[in-house]
Amino acid sequence: MAEAGRTDERPMSPHIQVWKWHATMAASIMHRATGVALYVGMLMISAWLVAAAMGPDAYAPVQALMFSLIGQLILFGFTLAILYHFANGIRHLIWDGPRAGFDPQFASAVSVFNFAFAILGAAAIWSASHFL
């Protein structure tokens, strides 16, 4: 039990002001952010499918939004989120299954790889879809 009246100058729990930023920290935060982005992106795709089922009058404005610049940027971000969350999910499976990859340098390298995989993969997918 904690002593009454004891003053401890250290923070109660680690926070951003205490920790030095590193790749695995950014990867953890990005994994959570992409999970939220995937949720929002699936709502957009669901709205697109519902509009398609409702007929041409409901489908036209949603389709116009999807093919607008802002819609294309959102869909590109959705592609980034899918690829990043996929790659980082595999990393978590390896951590949870065989319990490998905990060496700090290796974990940082995998984190950087996941970022690169998402960016290059999304660029490749969108380039192929627009230029082929």
Side-chain angles (χ1 to χ4, degrees):
M1 193 187 279
E3 296 175 19
R6 180 170 177 240
T7 305
D8 192 354
E9 297 299 320
R10 297 176 299 170
M12 294 299 292
S13 63
H15 52 81
I16 281 183
Q17 294 171 340
V18 173
W19 291 100
K20 178 183 163 194
W21 278 86
H22 50 87
T24 52
M25 178 189 284
S28 177
I29 293 167
M30 188 60 69
H31 189 75
R32 290 171 176 86
T34 56
V36 172
L38 291 175
Y39 183 81
V40 173
M42 289 308 296
L43 288 175
M44 271 185 66
I45 290 174
S46 298
W48 179 64
L49 291 172
V50 168
M54 292 177 66
D57 291 337
Y59 182 73
V62 175
Q63 186 70 2
L65 173 66
M66 293 289 197
F67 281 96
S68 70
L69 179 61
I70 189 75
Q72 294 289 291
L73 288 173
I74 290 170
L75 290 173
F76 181 76
F78 185 65
T79 307
L80 279 169
I82 288 172
L83 292 174
Y84 181 79
H85 209 76
F86 170 73
N88 211 44
I90 291 173
R91 180 180 75 157
H92 279 277
L93 283 174
I94 293 169
W95 281 0
D96 293 342
R99 302 193 55 80
F102 287 112
D103 176 58
Q105 283 128 352
F106 184 76
S108 292
V110 171
S111 298
V112 170
F113 171 80
N114 290 345
F115 284 113
F117 172 78
I119 293 166
L120 296 174
I125 289 169
W126 277 74
S127 294
S129 70
H130 286 334
F131 299 117
L132 293 180

